[in-house]
Amino acid sequence: MRHGSFGSVTFRKIFLSYTVILIIPIIVFSSLNVQRNITEERQRLHDKHISDANRIAVVVDDKLKELKNLGKLMSEESWVRKMMQNTDVYENEFDFLKMLEIRRNFENSINSLNILSFGMIVFPEKEQIFSAWGTYAEDDFFSGVAVFDDETRQRIENNVLEQQYFKVLPPETVKLWGNSKRVIPVFQSLEVVNQPRGVLILFIDSAYFADYMHRFGSIESKDMLITTQGQPIYRQTQAGSDGEHKSQHSYELVVPSLESDLRYRISYLDSSVIGINNLFSSLLAILISSALGALTAFLLAKISYRPLGALLSKLSAAIRYDDVRHSLVSGSEYNYIEESFDRLLHENEKLQRSMQDYEKAAKSNLFQRLLKGYFTDEQQMNGLKKIGIGYTDEMHYCTVLISFHAIRDVSDFDQIRKIELMTIVIVEKVMELHGLDYELFEVTHADKALILSSDYIFGQEGMIEQIALSITEEIEQACGFHPYVLPGTVEKGLVGISKSYYAANESLQYILFSRDHQADLQEESVQTIVEYYYPTDWEVQLINNLKIGNLDTSIQILHEISTENGKRCLSETSTIRLVSLLMETMLRVLHELNLDTGIYVKQFANKAEGADIGEMWGYVYEVVTLICERNRYSNSMTTIEVGSQLVQYVSENYTSADVSLKRLAEIFQMSVSKVSKIFKEITGINFYDYLCRLRMEMAKELLRERKCGIDDIAHRVGYENVYSFKRAFIRYEGIKPDEYVDIAM
């Protein structure tokens, strides 16, 4: 391909791509910058308006605070407290001159606030009113001095009778000495009681308050409204044409008073705009940046196209064109790349299908393992997660087997395929109704297995039976035959899947056997019924884990066998038979490991003769531990050397009373558990059995010689007291020391 760079379609596309890549961020960045300027301007104005609104609230609250202070001052005056008393002490103590002084001081206090029209103190019990003009009866004051309409007067009298810490009422009209005024009543109780004996009422002059707000609360707002109890007491509107205000948007700030129940509603014009200079500078920056971006895009396209052009030339040379020597069709250099990608996609699809088949097979294999008994460790749990199975030991499971054995003609593969597809659809439909997670797959002994799972226990009130019945009826209705749908029990943990499976499989095998041998069953009776639970698959896993020395999993298998058989309430005979079968498994493994099984057969037989099932189970656990520990440590030369030293020390010091695992651990500087494991690996039995064997053999020899008493023999063989010696002798020999002496004679 020999074309001029700029004449190449590929180059033009690269250049256009770089141009778009560079220009779009420039435009976006410039737009964001303009938007940021608008946002900052609005935020600055908003902060300014908030500050202005708070300042207005402070101005009014400061004046309200002065009114509160006046009320507090009045409540502390001695003459006020004495007037509140229901006695004539006030009239006797204060003469005319004193009263003139009190009235003058009260008037000065009212005038000093600069916004009050007048004030008074009401004494409800005495029905008197004190003011700067004198003391009046309530009726005389409200009819001759400050005249309100009946409704307003009634509202004032009601508020006087209630305890009012600081209450502002809406503006009212009053005729004060015959002159009409608009005043704002403010009530303050001079006592903290439900029905105060003295109430200070201050009347804010609306004209004074407006003058005060104009002087100290001038604002930049469009409108300001002060309300109390939802009713306005003051409004201020900024001077300006209505048309100008209507053409601009506004928003409202509401500031509550900190001194009373007043609320300040202040409206501000939202007039934030970007300056014309800023707009021009942004446009100029966009133009300059676009020009630089285009130049940069051209340079980048030149640099990028050089290796790409060489590559495309090589690729296009590998493709045969009829007219390759004459001309090249626009964009034809990409044909080979497209074909290569098609091949890669095709190969990738094949690989994906292979991977899906592998995952499906691995998943099916793992489900088969779950049915046989899945005894987990951390590595196996990771395997579950990798395949995408989210099962855990904390979940509950139930296995349901679906069998098509009722179909006599198994040669019609189309019918069987149809039944399988319908089964998948029906199971999905039934599971959606019951809200359970499930996995459906093929099994050997039946046609399909269905594992139900949930984080919570399920299956109450016949739920599982209802699921099985629904699946049976749906398949029968859709396919025209009656399948066997057999549920197992609901179990917890991954091993529970196997337990549930074997329960369902037992039911299936019984049905199939009954169907094929119905005539024989009517004439025969089953002579032997296997009550215990010991599946062959579990036995195989137990043997495999014993051979590799996996103690934790081996113990888990034994524990699950013990637990499951405990649920079945086996008879003593069946339990002994089960434990004996487990011991036979242990002996088989021991024989494969070339170990002498005689001592284990003898010791188990002794425990079986006593019919103590607990001791029999305990011995099986002990042998399992021995096998696993031996397999784990059998190849360790260090273990053999240390074990030999341990055996030698015990053989030389077994008559000492302080010989113990703890003592050995201190001498050989190891943990007690490690000493126990090594000793059992070397000797084949645990430490205390070995120590007891040595002591009992020496004790029997001393008993046969008859040279010392039993107490002396107990101390000589290493026991601190004769009671421990006798108990150990009976456990080891099966008879008492005295009886052994008689037999030895």
Side-chain angles (χ1 to χ4, degrees):
M1 290 183 60
R2 299 292 181 182
H3 291 287
S5 296
F6 199 82
S8 171
V9 175
T10 304
F11 178 81
R12 290 198 298 270
K13 289 181 179 180
I14 295 174
F15 172 67
L16 181 61
S17 299
Y18 277 126
T19 302
V20 172
I21 291 173
L22 293 174
I23 296 299
I24 288 179
I26 292 172
I27 296 174
V28 171
F29 175 76
S30 300
S31 300
L32 292 177
N33 186 51
V34 172
Q35 182 64 31
R36 180 176 58 83
N37 291 338
I38 294 174
T39 303
E40 290 179 353
E41 178 69 16
R42 286 180 176 172
Q43 186 62 41
R44 184 188 65 79
L45 287 175
H46 184 68
D47 293 342
K48 181 180 179 182
H49 293 160
I50 290 177
S51 176
D52 187 66
N54 290 330
R55 181 185 61 80
I56 293 169
V58 170
V59 167
V60 179
D61 281 356
D62 287 344
K63 186 57 66 174
L64 295 179
K65 191 180 297 183
E66 293 180 11
L67 299 182
K68 282 186 179 181
N69 292 334
L70 178 59
K72 182 178 180 181
L73 180 63
M74 289 295 104
S75 65
E76 295 174 354
E77 291 287 345
S78 60
W79 63 270
V80 173
R81 291 198 297 269
K82 290 181 179 181
M83 281 192 72
M84 287 191 295
Q85 297 176 6
N86 194 13
T87 63
D88 57 355
V89 176
Y90 172 76
E91 288 82 357
N92 296 332
E93 185 173 343
F94 297 97
D95 55 13
F96 178 76
L97 294 177
K98 184 64 175 178
M99 286 304 301
L100 285 177
E101 182 182 353
I102 292 173
R103 286 161 52 190
R104 190 181 306 112
N105 292 336
F106 184 71
E107 183 178 11
N108 291 336
S109 298
I110 296 296
N111 294 333
S112 65
L113 296 175
N114 296 325
I115 63 171
L116 296 179
S117 175
F118 68 100
M120 63 184 182
I121 300 176
V122 181
F123 301 96
E125 292 183 356
K126 294 183 176 182
E127 296 183 354
Q128 289 183 342
I129 294 177
F130 173 83
S131 69
W133 303 296
T135 303
Y136 299 86
E138 285 187 9
D139 291 338
D140 295 340
F141 186 83
F142 286 121
S143 62
V145 180
V147 181
F148 295 90
D149 58 57
D150 294 340
E151 183 180 352
T152 303
R153 178 176 175 181
Q154 185 63 41
R155 186 158 49 248
I156 292 174
E157 291 177 351
N158 291 339
N159 280 280
V160 166
L161 297 177
E162 299 176 0
Q163 200 281 332
Q164 306 290 351
Y165 172 66
F166 190 82
K167 184 175 183 181
V168 181
L169 294 184
E172 304 289 352
T173 301
V174 62
K175 286 187 177 181
L176 186 63
W177 300 109
N179 297 320
S180 294
K181 289 187 175 184
R182 291 287 288 178
V183 293
I184 304 171
V186 180
F187 290 79
Q188 293 187 73
S189 298
L190 301 181
E191 284 186 311
V192 186
V193 294
N194 290 333
Q195 294 183 350
R197 294 175 297 176
V199 178
L200 174 64
I201 307 177
L202 302 175
F203 294 91
I204 300 175
D205 193 310
S206 295
Y208 294 166
F209 185 72
D211 180 65
Y212 175 79
M213 291 302 298
H214 279 292
R215 285 188 293 118
F216 299 104
S218 57
I219 58 175
E220 300 177 0
S221 65
K222 172 186 174 184
D223 188 24
M224 179 178 68
L225 177 64
I226 302 176
T227 62
T228 179
Q229 302 175 12
Q231 299 186 33
I233 65 171
Y234 175 75
R235 179 184 294 274
Q236 179 179 329
T237 303
Q238 185 182 28
S241 63
D242 294 338
E244 180 183 353
H245 288 174
K246 290 180 180 179
S247 64
Q248 298 179 358
H249 296 288
S250 63
Y251 66 95
E252 184 179 75
L253 295 177
V254 179
V255 182
S257 172
L258 300 179
E259 301 296 333
S260 67
D261 59 352
L262 296 183
R263 297 179 71 83
Y264 309 101
R265 299 179 179 273
I266 308 171
S267 299
Y268 291 94
L269 294 174
D270 186 8
S271 57
S272 55
V273 294
I274 276 195
I276 192 67
N277 294 332
N278 192 8
L279 183 59
F280 276 130
S281 62
S282 298
L283 292 175
L284 181 61
I286 292 175
L287 292 175
I288 295 174
S289 300
S290 299
L292 292 176
L295 178 61
T296 305
F298 181 79
L299 295 176
L300 290 174
K302 290 286 289 184
I303 296 171
S304 300
Y305 182 76
R306 185 173 298 170
L308 182 61
L311 176 62
L312 292 176
S313 297
K314 292 180 180 180
L315 290 176
S316 61
I319 301 176
R320 296 179 180 179
Y321 297 101
D322 294 336
D323 55 348
V324 67
R325 297 181 179 180
H326 303 287
S327 63
L328 287 172
V329 181
S330 297
S332 61
E333 62 265 27
Y334 289 109
N335 290 343
Y336 181 69
I337 297 177
E338 184 178 354
E339 291 178 1
S340 300
F341 271 106
D342 288 340
R343 288 195 301 270
L344 288 175
L345 290 174
H346 179 68
E347 293 174 0
N348 183 60
E349 289 177 359
K350 291 175 60 178
L351 180 61
Q352 290 292 335
R353 285 195 296 269
S354 300
M355 289 296 296
Q356 290 175 359
D357 293 340
Y358 169 77
E359 290 179 358
K360 184 177 180 181
K363 202 170 185 179
S364 178
N365 180 62
L366 192 51
F367 280 129
Q368 297 287 347
R369 288 186 60 193
L370 288 170
L371 295 182
K372 294 179 179 180
Y374 196 80
F375 299 92
T376 60
D377 55 24
E378 185 175 352
Q379 184 176 0
Q380 290 175 326
M381 291 299 292
N382 291 333
L384 283 175
K385 295 177 181 178
K386 287 180 180 179
I387 296 180
I389 301 176
Y391 290 171
T392 67
D393 266 331
E394 301 302 320
M395 297 173 64
H396 295 79
Y397 307 92
C398 178
T399 303
V400 180
L401 295 180
I402 304 175
S403 173
F404 304 143
H405 285 84
I407 303 177
R408 296 296 182 177
D409 185 10
V410 295
S411 60
D412 191 350
F413 295 105
D414 291 337
Q415 182 187 5
I416 294 175
R417 182 59 179 167
K418 174 185 175 183
I419 293 171
E420 290 180 345
L421 292 175
M422 290 303 301
T423 301
I424 295 173
V425 174
I426 290 169
V427 168
E428 181 178 1
K429 175 183 175 183
V430 174
M431 289 301 102
E432 285 182 358
L433 292 176
H434 290 84
L436 292 176
D437 295 329
Y438 72 96
E439 293 288 348
L440 183 67
F441 55 95
E442 296 182 359
V443 290
T444 304
H445 299 296
D447 291 282
K448 298 288 183 181
L450 178 65
I451 298 179
L452 310 180
S453 61
S454 177
D455 292 328
Y456 307 98
I457 190 169
F458 61 94
Q460 301 90 337
E461 300 180 357
M463 176 183 178
I464 302 301
E465 291 74 13
Q466 181 62 39
I467 291 175
L469 180 61
S470 299
I471 295 174
T472 303
E473 292 177 348
E474 292 278 353
I475 295 177
E476 185 173 10
Q477 183 179 359
C479 304
F481 83 101
H482 185 83
Y484 301 133
V485 182
L486 303 170
T489 55
V490 178
E491 304 284 349
K492 182 180 180 181
L494 291 172
V495 179
I497 298 175
S498 177
K499 297 178 183 178
S500 183
Y501 163 71
Y502 282 114
N505 191 48
E506 286 178 4
S507 301
L508 176 62
Q509 297 306 319
Y510 178 78
I511 290 175
L512 296 178
F513 183 82
S514 300
R515 186 191 67 177
D516 297 335
H517 303 82
Q518 190 64 35
D520 297 337
L521 286 175
Q522 293 175 355
E523 299 175 359
E524 298 178 357
S525 60
V526 179
Q527 300 296 328
T528 304
I529 299 177
V530 178
E531 298 177 345
Y532 55 80
Y533 183 83
Y534 188 28
T536 303
D537 294 324
W538 287 28
E539 181 183 18
V540 172
Q541 292 192 62
L542 177 60
I543 292 173
N544 292 336
N545 281 280
L546 288 172
K547 288 181 178 180
I548 64 175
N550 194 339
L551 177 60
D552 293 338
T553 304
S554 300
I555 293 297
Q556 183 187 1
I557 295 174
L558 283 182
H559 175 72
E560 293 293 344
I561 293 173
S562 175
T563 302
E564 183 61 25
N565 283 281
K567 296 178 182 178
R568 299 189 173 206
C569 300
L570 301 180
S571 63
E572 182 177 353
T573 303
S574 296
T575 304
I576 293 175
R577 176 58 181 159
L578 170 66
V579 181
S580 300
L581 288 175
L582 288 170
M583 190 61 201
E584 289 178 7
T585 303
M586 305 299 112
L587 294 174
R588 194 157 61 247
V589 175
L590 288 169
H591 180 72
E592 292 181 9
L593 295 175
N594 297 321
L595 294 177
D596 184 12
T597 60
I599 184 173
Y600 304 103
V601 173
K602 178 182 176 182
Q603 291 182 358
F604 184 77
N606 290 336
K607 297 183 183 299
E609 289 177 0
D612 189 335
I613 297 175
E615 289 193 3
M616 294 173 66
W617 271 110
Y619 190 74
V620 169
Y621 275 95
E622 185 178 331
V623 174
V624 167
T625 305
L626 168 68
I627 294 173
C628 292
E629 294 299 332
R630 181 174 182 82
N631 287 334
R632 290 176 60 186
Y633 293 100
S634 58
N635 297 324
S636 173
M637 293 302 297
T638 303
T639 300
I640 296 174
E641 294 175 1
V642 174
S644 300
Q645 296 176 10
L646 289 171
V647 173
Q648 181 180 355
Y649 180 86
V650 174
S651 300
E652 294 174 355
N653 300 276
Y654 68 90
T655 58
S656 176
D658 65 347
V659 175
S660 63
L661 285 174
K662 183 178 180 181
R663 178 62 178 163
L664 291 175
E666 293 175 352
I667 294 173
F668 291 91
Q669 297 182 351
M670 293 185 296
S671 66
V672 173
S673 60
K674 187 172 182 179
V675 171
S676 176
K677 290 179 181 179
I678 294 176
F679 200 92
K680 186 182 294 185
E681 166 63 26
I682 296 301
T683 63
I685 59 176
N686 63 45
F687 166 77
Y688 288 105
D689 284 344
Y690 185 84
L691 179 64
C692 183
R693 178 185 297 177
L694 294 177
R695 288 176 173 177
M696 291 303 105
E697 293 300 327
M698 181 178 180
K700 288 192 292 184
E701 183 178 349
L702 294 174
L703 287 171
R704 288 193 297 269
E705 292 177 356
R706 302 172 179 272
K707 293 182 179 180
C708 51
I710 294 178
D711 292 352
D712 187 25
I713 291 174
H715 287 91
R716 291 182 65 179
V717 298
Y719 289 95
E720 295 181 349
N721 55 72
V722 68
Y723 173 74
S724 299
F725 168 69
K726 288 181 177 181
R727 186 175 59 182
F729 194 91
I730 293 171
R731 185 172 65 251
Y732 185 77
E733 295 295 331
I735 59 176
K736 297 179 181 179
D738 297 336
E739 295 174 352
Y740 181 83
V741 173
D742 295 338
I743 294 174
M745 292 178 59

